[in-house]
Amino acid sequence: MNIISRKPRFVSGLRLKENKKSEHSPISVIPPPPRVIIPMQMHAGAECSLLVQRGDKVKTGQLIAQSDAFVSAKIHSTITGTVKSILKTVSPATSTIISAVEITSKIAEQQQDGRLDSDTANAGLEEEKVFDDSGHIKSAEEFRIFLKKVESEQGAGLIQKIKDAGIVGLGGAAFPTHVKLSVPEGKKIDTVILNGCECEPYITADHRMMLEYSMEILAGAYVIFKILGPQKVIIAIENNKEDAIKLIADKIFELGLENIFSISALPSRYPMGAEKTLIKNILKRKVPVGGLPLNVGVVVQNVSTAKAIFDAVAYDKPLIERAITITGDIIKPVNLMVRIGTLVGDLKNYFGVLKEKPYDFIFGGPMTGFSVANMNFPIVKGTGCVLVKEGMDLTEKNCIRCSRCVSVCPMNLMPLMYGTYAKNNMWEQCRQYYIESCIECGSCAYVCPSAIPLVGYIKTGKAVLARKK
Amino acid sequence: MDSKIDEAKLIDSGEVYIAHPPHIWSGFSTAKVMYIVLAVLALPFAAAVYFFGLRALYLIIISMATALITEFAIKKLRKKPFYMDGSALITGLLFALVLPPRIPFWMAIIGAAFSIAIAKEAFGGLGFNIFNPALAGRAFLAICFPTAMTSWYFPAKWFVPGYAAADALTSASPLSESYIYEGTRAALYKDLFFGNIAGSIGETSALAILIGGIILIALKLIDWKIPVIFIGTVALGSLIFGNDVLFQVLSGGLMIGAFFMATDYVTSPVTGAGRIIFAFGAGIITLLIRNFGSLPEGVAFSILIMNAFTPLIDKYVRPKPFGFVRTIVKKDGKRK
């Protein structure tokens, strides 16, 4: 039985230079940082309110913030230490001002300069061993034991566990996972897509996750399967990751899950991994404007999210760490398992030698990631990559209406119009050209021969229109 | 690892570069687009010089130089930055290619300057002009100097030994009623196809234009829809009007117009459907002018007229976004 279906080469999308420099670097778990800053909103949805005060002692995995709103995700402390201060920061999700909590560990108190030496770090690591996250499923036997455990649970109970673990979509949008899995009455999900496309250049974290935690990802996917009861689960992987395709296919056979799971090997095109284009390319279904994948009977989850779901169900482990790729114009790009809230400045040992000029520190991939304003920016739940690049310094020229943006737009829009209208503050006209349908994939600005920062104009336009409503 | 200290200092100083996503760029700049088009235009350029001699070469150089100098001067006057992006060179070259071979040089200078100064820069420069600058320049000359602009000559045969410029023979435009071709039908088609016929210096060789156009289509620099539908409409219309289809397609400015003028980014619609309407409209107007107008040729004016419709087409021919759902408004005004 062949479970790998291959899609034709001639699908639409950009061919980008992949630059996946770190794809052979295993995910190394690094010691917990001496301090973390945890924003109260690392997800799409309502800001959480703090449950701890300044001076409180907190343990790794302790619930420190939550919200009564349905669309929100719980937040846990990611290191053991003391709440040092409560500060204001800019939300990585909505760009509004929100609270954040700064937690420092013993190591930080001992070592004021912020650099870790290995002895204290190891001592700290021992203190952190709160969870039985031996983490790995070592055999098919262990997998079957886990499946039995899942089978004995109710869907609602599983969703509660995911909710308590504060899991959000780790692909970048950071939508609370328990909300995505709570399908309203009357809607039937027939397909679950596990997204392992990772279509952005440079990023390799999901690729490494699939190679190193394939069993756990399948176990997490099985939990989703149990909750939603779809007919099939399709694992979508771009064909530039043949090793992952082969490994996961082998595991599916080994575990005897070929009736549920199948793999869709997709051509490597940008933005293949975007929810809407992914569903279109695999199932030929179009998510309606303003709608969700569940409108067409589909739920899409990232592969790393599936691993987090496994951790939550198997060990009641909250989402306190995630795999990120540190890459770009640096000597040794790596994949790391880091605690949420780690400051990018505290990861500087991994950046290696940089030339003396301003670098662009990008959270996320090169196409959709944002530049951080300073080195005190924390890794949040949705951060999959820290990309260090030399600044491009492009000069914006006049639009020559070449229509390259129109032909690459996966949402079938006319991006050139947003540039023209945004410069003249004509926001209503932007709406007439369906600016709200834009998924901000950046394809238009990438191909623009005049180097017009269209995504910047579109983001501004959307923000202005949202405020007007 | 010797510069590790610098690295630490740099990061701690907080000096970072900030930009909008995407943080990578294709590198395919406007200037590259323009220079590729210029390189492809070398084909009709070569054909022009081959058939109409050194005079064609002088015309082209003078027009391109005038266009470039005018652009530079106007940019300085407007206190705007001047970019050497090749767009003025393309305008100058295209303008020269649609001139009759023996037009006085000073007229060419006036026309090229008009193309850049009035048709392009007065509207705001590259990207803002409504009309194709090269064609606007040609139309301007056609109105100011109608005789010079309609004096056609047989190809100069400068490569034939003993041929002097004074020997040039006047000819009617192949499209005018008074034109008589001495030879067989097949020989006429052959001359039209290769370019050995009276006409504007760059428009006569259908072969050179066709090769250039196909290269541009293959490079995805122009959309095939515009030339195919433009020429197709003229061909079909000629069939209906009972004209010689092949003759209509190969003669006059149709080829160069369809491949190099109507496909101008700035002055043609940006959507596929819009381009179909644009090219169809240009084809219809060409047919009307050729069959009922007082001018023998109408490609230039048909494109200019359709240029004026481009903003309107872009406004009303919008593609529906991905997953678009039509909102049905019922009679009582409630949205469904």
Side-chain angles (χ1 to χ4, degrees):
Chain A
M1 188 172 155
N2 185 18
I3 57 165
I4 303 173
S5 68
R6 289 189 185 273
K7 293 287 160 188
R9 283 161 178 276
F10 44 83
V11 297
S12 58
L14 286 175
R15 288 165 196 252
L16 301 177
K17 189 163 181 275
E18 283 169 6
N19 269 325
K20 305 255 188 197
K21 298 173 184 173
S22 52
E23 62 182 334
H24 299 298
S25 144
I27 301 169
S28 56
V29 181
I30 62 164
R35 54 176 174 164
V36 290
I37 293 179
I38 303 174
M40 291 298 102
Q41 189 184 37
M42 298 189 274
H43 45 259
E47 185 186 344
C48 290
S49 40
L50 263 174
L51 304 174
V52 291
Q53 286 173 346
R54 203 169 152 227
D56 281 2
K57 298 266 182 226
V58 290
K59 279 205 147 98
T60 305
Q62 182 185 332
L63 183 67
I64 55 167
Q66 63 178 355
S67 163
D68 295 333
F70 177 60
V71 183
S72 187
K74 293 183 178 180
I75 293 167
H76 305 80
S77 175
T78 58
I79 57 170
T80 301
T82 317
V83 177
K84 194 182 163 206
S85 62
I86 290 158
L87 35 97
K88 292 282 173 195
T89 184
V90 179
S91 162
T94 58
S95 303
T96 48
I97 304 291
I98 52 156
S99 300
V101 57
E102 183 184 7
I103 301 168
T104 52
S105 72
K106 266 187 189 161
I107 308 166
E109 287 156 28
Q110 287 167 11
Q111 282 203 306
Q112 286 296 324
D113 70 349
R115 281 186 184 238
L116 296 172
D117 82 57
S118 58
D119 286 350
T120 3
N122 286 338
L125 202 58
E126 284 309 305
E127 199 177 274
E128 295 278 339
K129 286 248 171 187
V130 190
F131 297 98
D132 175 26
D133 59 342
S134 40
H136 280 72
I137 300 180
K138 289 183 195 68
S139 63
E141 195 48 44
E142 275 185 39
F143 190 89
R144 280 187 202 103
I145 295 167
F146 177 75
L147 288 203
K148 279 211 186 82
K149 185 184 170 192
V150 174
E151 283 300 337
S152 66
E153 301 234 19
Q154 295 290 319
L158 293 170
I159 291 179
Q160 189 59 42
K161 279 194 169 181
I162 291 166
K163 189 178 175 186
D164 286 342
I167 296 175
V168 301
L170 296 180
F175 194 79
T177 302
H178 68 274
V179 180
K180 233 182 189 181
L181 296 178
S182 309
V183 176
E185 279 303 318
K187 297 272 185 205
K188 182 84 185 95
I189 301 299
D190 59 38
T191 311
V192 167
I193 296 177
L194 214 56
N195 187 353
C197 282
E198 207 162 50
C199 56
E200 283 220 38
Y202 291 100
I203 314 183
T204 57
D206 282 349
H207 183 191
R208 292 307 309 180
M209 286 298 282
M210 285 189 283
L211 291 177
E212 293 169 41
Y213 297 95
S214 53
M215 291 263 228
E216 293 77 3
I217 287 168
L218 289 174
Y222 194 84
V223 175
I224 301 169
F225 173 77
K226 164 78 180 165
I227 294 169
L228 296 173
Q231 289 153 8
K232 55 186 185 280
V233 179
I234 298 172
I235 303 168
I237 308 173
E238 280 190 355
N239 61 10
N240 56 354
K241 295 180 262 294
E242 278 300 334
D243 47 354
I245 294 171
K246 194 173 172 302
L247 180 74
I248 292 195
D250 289 349
K251 293 287 179 198
I252 291 171
F253 281 118
E254 188 188 335
L255 302 169
L257 292 171
E258 60 266 30
N259 292 328
I260 307 167
F261 290 96
S262 63
I263 295 174
S264 185
L266 298 156
S268 177
R269 296 280 187 285
Y270 185 82
M272 183 61 77
E275 234 170 34
K276 288 179 176 181
T277 40
L278 189 62
I279 294 169
K280 187 191 90 179
N281 279 319
I282 295 180
L283 300 170
K284 305 263 177 291
R285 295 180 200 171
K286 282 190 175 180
V287 179
V289 171
L292 293 167
L294 65 86
N295 292 94
V296 291
V298 183
V299 162
V300 181
Q301 288 288 359
N302 181 271
V303 285
S304 295
T305 317
K307 161 72 165 64
I309 290 173
F310 164 76
D311 284 343
V313 174
Y315 315 115
D316 291 318
K317 180 185 164 189
L319 182 64
I320 54 165
E321 58 186 2
R322 66 157 301 150
I324 64 163
T325 304
I326 294 188
T327 182
D329 300 333
I330 60 177
I331 290 169
K332 196 168 172 287
V334 285
N335 296 297
L336 304 174
M337 188 66 86
V338 299
R339 296 295 166 96
I340 309 288
T342 305
L343 306 185
V344 59
D346 287 339
L347 293 168
K348 64 187 167 194
N349 290 348
Y350 299 96
F351 298 149
V353 182
L354 299 178
K355 281 173 247 159
E356 179 114 36
K357 59 171 139 179
Y359 277 78
D360 194 352
F361 291 86
I362 302 149
F363 271 36
M367 293 298 279
T368 58
F370 59 92
S371 306
V372 295
N374 59 54
M375 289 292 109
N376 288 330
F377 223 83
I379 306 288
V380 294
K381 290 177 178 177
T383 313
C385 178
V386 176
L387 176 63
V388 185
K389 274 191 101 256
E390 290 173 24
M392 278 198 300
D393 235 356
L394 300 173
T395 314
E396 179 180 352
K397 308 246 179 86
N398 287 350
C399 173
I400 56 165
R401 298 167 39 86
C402 68
S403 86
R404 293 182 105 75
C405 55
V406 180
S407 53
V408 296
C409 180
M411 292 293 111
N412 217 9
L413 306 173
M414 293 164 76
L416 74 155
M417 295 298 176
Y418 308 137
T420 313
Y421 287 130
K423 279 180 227 176
N424 297 296
N425 293 322
M426 293 162 80
W427 308 111
E428 253 334 290
Q429 277 78 0
C430 288
R431 181 177 277 153
Q432 282 168 17
Y433 284 93
Y434 312 106
I435 192 170
E436 278 119 338
S437 287
C438 172
I439 58 169
E440 296 173 21
C441 67
S443 300
C444 49
Y446 175 79
V447 298
C448 180
S450 298
I452 301 170
L454 288 162
V455 178
Y457 290 126
I458 291 169
K459 283 184 190 238
T460 313
K462 280 184 176 176
V464 171
L465 286 170
R467 221 179 300 142
K468 274 189 184 166
K469 258 182 190 169
Chain B
M1 293 267 170
D2 48 6
S3 61
K4 190 132 197 176
I5 304 143
D6 295 338
E7 162 251 321
K9 193 179 77 194
L10 178 75
I11 290 172
D12 291 338
S13 73
E15 232 181 83
V16 291
Y17 184 92
I18 291 188
H20 283 296
H23 303 274
I24 46 176
W25 187 49
S26 64
F28 196 68
S29 63
T30 305
K32 275 190 192 163
V33 176
M34 297 292 176
Y35 286 121
I36 292 173
V37 174
L38 260 183
V40 168
L41 279 171
L43 283 159
F45 178 115
V49 177
Y50 179 80
F51 287 111
F52 295 99
L54 285 176
R55 202 183 149 83
L57 183 68
Y58 299 150
L59 264 181
I60 290 168
I61 291 171
I62 287 169
S63 298
M64 288 174 81
T66 310
L68 195 64
I69 293 164
T70 312
E71 169 134 320
F72 185 79
I74 301 267
K75 286 287 186 206
K76 290 289 155 233
L77 266 173
R78 292 176 63 213
K79 296 191 171 54
K80 298 269 179 189
F82 170 81
Y83 297 115
M84 189 58 215
D85 59 12
S87 64
L89 293 177
I90 291 188
T91 300
L93 177 54
L94 280 174
F95 169 75
L97 290 179
V98 292
L99 289 179
R102 299 198 163 262
I103 185 170
F105 290 141
W106 62 269
M107 286 187 190
I109 291 172
I110 290 176
F114 179 90
S115 290
I116 297 291
I118 308 296
K120 190 176 166 198
E121 289 300 321
F123 283 89
L126 179 66
F128 294 106
N129 48 305
I130 295 170
F131 299 103
N132 183 312
L135 285 182
R138 186 188 195 277
F140 178 71
L141 289 192
I143 292 161
C144 295
F145 314 107
T147 319
M149 285 297 285
T150 47
S151 303
W152 308 107
Y153 294 86
F154 285 112
K157 300 269 169 35
W158 61 287
F159 42 87
V160 177
Y163 178 87
D167 296 345
L169 291 171
T170 54
S171 158
S173 162
L175 277 163
S176 73
E177 282 158 15
S178 58
Y179 182 75
I180 300 152
Y181 184 80
E182 290 163 3
T184 61
R185 218 60 197 151
L188 171 64
Y189 292 145
K190 194 179 150 211
D191 278 350
L192 280 168
F193 185 68
F194 287 102
N196 187 22
I197 201 126
S200 300
I201 59 172
E203 72 177 22
T204 58
S205 176
L207 177 69
I209 294 161
L210 210 56
I211 295 171
I214 288 167
I215 292 172
L216 288 186
I217 291 171
L219 292 174
K220 292 188 178 167
L221 283 175
I222 62 171
D223 192 341
W224 61 270
K225 293 188 197 79
I226 292 179
V228 168
I229 290 172
F230 193 168
I231 295 170
T233 306
V234 172
L236 204 67
S238 304
L239 197 70
I240 293 165
F241 281 117
N243 299 332
D244 181 341
V245 175
L246 204 55
F247 177 78
Q248 288 290 329
V249 167
L250 291 175
S251 55
L254 183 59
M255 281 298 203
I256 196 167
F259 279 102
F260 289 105
M261 303 287 193
T263 54
D264 173 30
Y265 291 146
V266 180
T267 55
S268 65
V270 292
T271 61
R275 285 170 174 170
I276 291 172
I277 296 170
F278 175 88
F280 180 71
I284 294 290
I285 297 169
T286 302
L287 279 169
L288 291 178
I289 296 176
R290 281 189 178 180
N291 284 286
F292 305 110
S294 59
L295 299 167
E297 171 61 317
V299 171
F301 285 104
S302 72
I303 295 171
L304 286 170
I305 291 167
M306 288 316 289
N307 284 165
F309 281 104
T310 295
L312 211 60
I313 294 172
D314 272 343
K315 182 165 182 188
Y316 290 105
V317 186
R318 273 173 285 181
K320 292 281 168 267
F322 181 95
F324 180 78
V325 189
R326 197 172 291 280
T327 353
I328 301 156
V329 182
K330 284 188 176 171
K331 273 183 184 165
D332 55 5
K334 278 182 192 161
R335 285 185 173 215
K336 194 184 165 188

